[in-house]
Amino acid sequence: MPPRQIYRQRIEEFESALVDEDSKSRRMSNLRLIAFVAAACCGVVATLGGFSTALVLLWYLLSLVGLGAFIRFVWVHRQISERIERLKQLRDLNQFAICRLDRKWADFPVPLAPQEFVENNTALDLDLFAEASVFQLTCSHYSPQGRFALAKWLVEPANPDEIQQRQE
């Protein structure tokens, strides 16, 4: 299967997963709201209800259960949000791969290079970090550490022995 077709297939898979995760995220948002409102209402009823001690304790217990459910829903919602961000990154990575294959540099974002390398005289002279630059062509890193390592390799090349080692 040609690379372009593989990338498109992956993009479709990530888009489909994003739709599913977005639906889960909306449901979890609603559950969080319901749990919070229920906990707050139970707390208000327990405080202002004028009930006997046993009933007040029961209402406070229900309030704590609602608060516990709310905290659990917040935790699950955060996990869903992290999955959504990861799926977006994977989708974008494959879209950028297609842009690279088609050499559509205008559609390809310029990755943020570490500032200490951008202002380096060598980098300025060779235009290493601008649009349609070597950095843009070769950088597919989402992490700051990956971008830093690539920028450092471009600006401060290693000795020949180390380069040979990296290629093995």
Side-chain angles (χ1 to χ4, degrees):
M1 186 181 302
R4 188 173 283 104
Q5 189 176 353
I6 292 171
Y7 293 137
R8 286 196 178 112
Q9 180 182 359
R10 288 178 184 169
I11 290 169
E12 289 173 11
E13 291 170 5
F14 296 137
E15 287 289 341
S16 175
L18 273 169
V19 168
D20 293 343
E21 292 297 321
D22 190 49
S23 176
K24 289 178 190 176
S25 177
R26 279 186 263 116
R27 279 195 308 269
M28 195 53 58
S29 293
N30 291 335
L31 287 172
R32 285 174 55 180
L33 177 63
I34 290 167
F36 182 79
V37 169
C41 288
C42 289
V44 168
V45 168
T47 304
L48 302 176
F51 298 111
S52 66
T53 305
L55 283 176
V56 167
L57 289 175
L58 179 63
W59 281 108
Y60 277 130
L61 180 63
L62 289 173
S63 178
L64 287 175
V65 168
L67 184 61
F70 172 75
I71 291 170
R72 172 73 176 150
F73 293 150
V74 167
W75 182 74
V76 170
H77 195 215
R78 186 180 59 108
Q79 288 181 321
I80 292 170
S81 296
E82 288 172 0
R83 281 195 304 267
I84 287 172
E85 287 306 309
R86 180 66 180 148
L87 287 168
K88 286 179 181 178
Q89 288 176 347
L90 291 170
R91 177 202 58 202
D92 292 348
L93 186 64
N94 283 276
Q95 286 174 337
F96 298 154
I98 291 174
C99 289
R100 255 195 204 107
L101 288 173
D102 296 340
R103 304 217 184 274
K104 292 182 179 177
W105 299 115
D107 297 341
F108 193 78
V110 179
L112 294 174
Q115 198 59 36
E116 61 265 26
F117 296 116
V118 172
E119 296 171 356
N120 180 291
N121 287 335
T122 303
L124 291 172
D125 287 344
L126 297 175
D127 200 22
L128 292 177
F129 300 108
E131 187 174 333
S133 66
V134 173
F135 190 72
Q136 184 183 18
L137 174 66
T138 58
C139 186
S140 61
H141 303 288
Y142 277 99
S143 69
Q145 297 87 354
R147 288 190 302 268
F148 182 86
L150 179 60
K152 185 174 181 180
W153 287 357
L154 290 172
V155 173
E156 302 169 6
N159 62 45
D161 294 333
E162 188 176 339
I163 293 172
Q164 183 68 31
Q165 239 179 352
R166 287 182 195 160
Q167 293 177 351
E168 293 176 354

